[in-house]
Amino acid sequence: MRIFRWGYLLPRLAILCVLWAASEHGTAWLLKWSITSAGPALTGARVDVAETRASLLHTRVAIKGLEIADPDQAMQNLASVELVELNLDTAALLRKQAVVNHGIIRGLRFGTARETSGELPPTEAVAPRATRSHVARDATAQAAAYAANWLADVEKKLSLDARGQFESVRLAEELAAKWPAECESLSAAAKLLKSGVEQLTVETKAANQNPLRNAEFLRALPGRVKSLQQQTQDLQARLQELPGLVEADRQRVIAARERDERFIRDQLSVEALDASDLTAYLLTEQLDGPVRELVEWLGWARKIIPSKGQAPKFERSRGENILFAGVKRYPDVLVRTIDLHGVAQVGGRPLEIAGTLTDFTTEPQLHGQPLRLRLVTQGPLPIQVQAVIDRTRETPRDELLAVCNGLAIPGMSLGKPEHMSLAVSQSTAALQIALLLDDEKLTGNIELVQKSVDITPHLAQRLGTPEIQQALTASLGRVNEISTQVVLTGTLAKPQVQISSTLGPTMQNALHSTVVAVIDRQRERILASARAQTEQHLTAMRSTVDSLTAEVAPLLAQPEQMLAKLLGPDLAQPFSAEQFGRLPAGSLFK
């Protein structure tokens, strides 16, 4: 009697072995295909897998050489993993559910180089990572631009050359040039009058020697004398008006000088620079990248993890699942715990990281627990990161908390070299990040405290006067610690950033007070120079007029006396026949 019917058992065992081998390799192939096909829809870039292994008998899955490309940099990986090992729940597999009780991710790295491009063909529709935007720069651009304009305006004021802009100086120069010509004209007229009077006196004396022969001359003499007298009076009147005209011109110059002083005070007035604007000017460029990355990661998490907590509904070909009383329904995909091990670059140095990822599922409301991520670094730089992604409610809620002490901050340059920049030395810092995204409302706080810092100011050539350079150097030399805070508000689509730092008020106090003092001194120098120039021209004008008065007054006094003698009582009336009939004794006609 045969116990085993080998002819019956062997074919069936062979079929079972073939089915087992097919299931083992087929499941591994199907798993690899699913990852490389579904991954791009989540990440927005290629997802590559070197090798997959799956065992339904032992309910284990192994994934080797997993690479997730960076959607923004085609030749760089967002993350890469050497090995993923997952232990599946056997009972859940029988219910067509993928439940990972425990898993391990080894060799996790970020930002590694790729051998092939991770860019997807343009025809493939994917959910890309959040578009890059200059979050901090856009939000604080107005404040930073105002501070830059303030510095540029200060440079312009410090290099202001107002010599050609003074109305008073131009007017004084014109008047000073006008008066010598005016005085020369008056002096020439006085000299010509004197010469004419002297000539008339000589001619009159000659005519008196022979009145009959010079009757016409003597008859016209009174008119000529009166004409010369009138000219003398006109010149005297002009001479007497000179002090008044000079004073009127002086008042015009004084009025113009007052307008010039108001203009210069307006031009060289310095508005108060707000400390927050100066903070934005110094820190916006440096904070733009880190803040942008944080917002992008939140947006990316919202894309790869459904923002609504509703469980997806699957259309089944036939049948219906009936849950008996007391039986709990589990999600179709659930990862209870995964241990993470890898390396991350922090502050330019590689650090070993370890952590756990718990309660990942595609049906968070059904599971009732939020996804939690905990990471810590091992080594000289302790960092703790905790993230909670909650999709168990109607509205999504994401939280991130990161704490780092002893972070090495490399040397950096703050501000803009074309105006003003600060060279900050290498320092150690304490960093704390707290972000909350409740539905679309964003709330965040980033605090960075740098210790043992040395700050050296660098000023543009026109701004770098010795007084300003010395004041800033002295003020910043007393700074040993910089505390910076970034407050995030608004929404994920339109975040708003407010930056505050102890560096801003320190710079503002030293810069504004020194700039005001320097510009005040420059304004007084400019005004003093303008006053000196106008006074020089006014003095020259008065000196010219005084010299003319001293010169012309005697010239006019002598002709006046000579004309008075010529216009005696006998010449008061024209000559008549009667006067010629009574010739005086001793005349030529005896």
Side-chain angles (χ1 to χ4, degrees):
M1 179 179 179
R2 293 186 302 174
I3 300 177
F4 299 103
R5 297 174 58 186
W6 296 107
Y8 176 82
L9 291 176
L10 288 177
R12 286 161 175 76
L13 287 174
I15 292 173
L16 288 175
C17 290
V18 171
L19 291 175
W20 173 81
S23 66
E24 294 286 303
H25 294 284
T27 302
W29 178 88
L30 181 61
L31 176 62
K32 181 177 181 179
W33 177 84
S34 300
I35 294 174
T36 56
S37 299
L42 296 176
T43 64
R46 285 184 57 182
V47 177
D48 299 322
V49 176
E51 181 184 356
T52 57
R53 293 180 182 178
S55 174
L56 295 180
L57 181 62
H58 298 92
T59 62
R60 291 180 181 177
V61 171
I63 304 170
K64 293 184 178 181
L66 175 63
E67 292 186 348
I68 303 173
D70 191 332
D72 297 318
Q73 302 183 58
M75 297 305 296
Q76 182 172 304
N77 287 319
L78 190 66
S80 61
V81 179
E82 294 179 3
L83 176 64
V84 179
E85 294 180 340
L86 304 176
N87 294 324
L88 303 175
D89 188 292
T90 305
L93 282 177
L94 296 177
R95 298 192 300 268
K96 299 181 180 180
Q97 295 173 331
V99 177
V100 178
N101 290 324
H102 184 265
I104 297 178
I105 294 179
R106 302 182 187 277
L108 175 63
R109 292 178 179 272
F110 301 94
T112 57
R114 291 179 58 88
E115 295 181 358
T116 60
S117 174
E119 186 177 1
L120 293 173
T123 56
E124 295 190 25
V126 297
R129 197 169 156 196
T131 304
R132 285 184 179 269
S133 62
H134 299 291
V135 178
R137 186 182 303 168
D138 293 344
T140 58
Q142 185 175 1
Y146 177 79
N149 292 335
W150 187 89
L151 292 168
D153 187 57
V154 169
E155 294 178 29
K156 183 179 178 181
K157 294 179 188 300
L158 290 175
S159 60
L160 178 65
D161 184 3
R163 288 176 297 179
Q165 302 182 31
F166 282 116
E167 178 189 357
S168 59
V169 175
R170 293 197 302 270
L171 180 59
E173 289 177 351
E174 294 173 2
L175 294 176
K178 179 195 76 171
W179 277 106
E182 182 74 16
C183 292
E184 183 64 27
S185 173
L186 186 58
S187 176
K191 292 177 180 179
L192 182 61
L193 176 63
K194 179 184 177 184
S195 176
V197 171
E198 290 176 347
Q199 180 65 30
L200 182 60
T201 302
V202 172
E203 292 176 357
T204 302
K205 289 182 178 180
N208 284 331
Q209 297 296 324
N210 192 351
L212 292 178
R213 184 173 296 176
N214 296 289
E216 290 297 328
F217 172 82
L218 294 174
R219 187 177 293 110
L221 181 61
R224 294 179 62 183
V225 170
K226 288 184 178 181
S227 175
L228 291 174
Q229 284 181 329
Q230 185 62 46
Q231 293 181 35
T232 303
Q233 293 173 2
D234 292 343
L235 291 177
Q236 288 176 339
R238 287 177 61 186
L239 190 63
Q240 292 174 358
E241 290 176 356
L242 289 183
L245 295 175
V246 171
E247 179 60 25
D249 287 346
R250 192 179 74 85
Q251 292 300 326
R252 289 175 58 194
V253 173
I254 291 175
R257 187 164 62 190
E258 291 176 353
R259 291 192 295 271
D260 289 339
E261 290 180 355
R262 287 194 298 269
F263 169 77
I264 290 300
R265 286 193 172 90
D266 292 339
Q267 289 292 309
L268 294 182
S269 62
V270 181
E271 297 181 359
L273 178 61
D274 190 78
S276 60
D277 294 336
L278 190 55
T279 298
Y281 169 84
L282 293 171
L283 298 176
T284 294
E285 293 290 337
Q286 290 294 333
L287 294 177
D288 175 68
V291 174
R292 181 194 65 213
E293 290 292 334
L294 285 175
V295 174
E296 284 181 0
W297 276 106
L298 287 176
W300 190 61
R302 279 289 172 93
K303 286 184 177 294
I304 65 173
I305 301 177
S307 60
K308 297 296 182 183
Q310 300 176 351
K313 297 180 180 180
F314 300 96
E315 296 293 337
R316 300 182 182 273
S317 59
R318 60 181 180 177
E320 183 178 356
N321 290 334
I322 304 296
L323 295 179
F324 294 99
V327 177
K328 182 179 179 180
R329 181 184 172 187
Y330 291 94
D332 291 335
V333 177
L334 173 63
V335 178
R336 299 187 187 277
T337 304
I338 290 184
D339 294 333
L340 303 173
H341 301 276
V343 177
Q345 291 282 339
V346 180
R349 69 167 72 171
L351 294 176
E352 294 186 8
I353 58 174
T356 58
L357 176 69
T358 61
D359 298 310
F360 171 78
T361 178
T362 57
E363 300 171 278
Q365 281 191 338
L366 188 61
H367 181 54
Q369 295 293 328
L371 183 150
R372 299 179 185 275
L373 173 66
R374 294 181 177 85
L375 292 174
V376 295
T377 61
Q378 301 174 355
L381 182 60
I383 301 176
Q384 298 181 7
V385 178
Q386 296 184 16
V388 178
I389 301 176
D390 190 355
R391 300 293 186 269
T392 62
R393 307 179 302 169
E394 288 297 325
T395 57
R397 180 184 175 91
D398 301 329
E399 297 180 62
L400 173 65
L401 176 64
V403 178
C404 175
N405 294 314
L407 178 65
I409 303 295
M412 64 185 71
S413 178
L414 306 179
K416 300 179 183 299
E418 60 267 26
H419 297 304
M420 178 184 67
S421 62
L422 302 180
V424 182
S425 66
Q426 182 178 356
S427 61
T428 58
L431 175 65
Q432 181 172 333
I433 301 174
L435 297 177
L436 172 62
L437 185 60
D438 194 350
D439 196 7
E440 294 299 323
K441 182 180 179 181
L442 177 64
T443 305
N445 188 65
I446 304 172
E447 294 183 0
L448 179 69
V449 180
Q450 297 173 253
K451 299 182 179 180
S452 303
V453 295
D454 292 325
I455 306 175
T456 304
H458 297 282
L459 304 176
Q461 182 176 2
R462 290 178 295 179
L463 185 63
T465 64
E467 297 94 331
I468 298 177
Q469 183 74 40
Q470 292 172 5
L472 287 181
T473 302
S475 180
L476 295 174
R478 296 188 292 268
V479 176
N480 189 49
E481 179 179 298
I482 301 176
S483 178
T484 303
Q485 183 179 35
V486 179
V487 177
L488 285 169
T489 56
T491 64
L492 188 62
K494 295 182 178 180
Q496 299 178 0
V497 180
Q498 183 178 0
I499 305 174
S500 60
S501 174
T502 56
L503 189 60
T506 300
M507 285 288 296
Q508 191 269 345
N509 291 334
L511 184 63
H512 184 263
S513 59
T514 307
V515 165
V516 168
V518 171
I519 290 183
D520 284 346
R521 288 194 293 270
Q522 183 187 18
R523 180 176 59 246
E524 292 306 317
R525 285 195 300 267
I526 292 175
L527 292 177
S529 175
R531 294 191 196 101
Q533 293 180 61
T534 55
E535 286 299 329
Q536 180 181 0
H537 293 307
L538 290 176
T539 301
M541 185 172 61
R542 285 193 297 267
S543 176
T544 300
V545 172
D546 291 342
S547 299
L548 174 68
T549 303
E551 176 186 356
V552 173
L555 292 177
L556 294 179
Q558 186 176 1
E560 185 177 15
Q561 296 173 0
M562 296 172 64
L563 290 174
K565 293 179 179 180
L566 287 177
L567 195 61
D570 294 337
L571 295 179
Q573 299 294 330
F575 289 101
S576 62
E578 291 79 5
Q579 288 176 315
F580 280 106
R582 299 190 300 270
L583 293 176
S587 66
L588 296 175
F589 304 95
K590 294 183 180 178

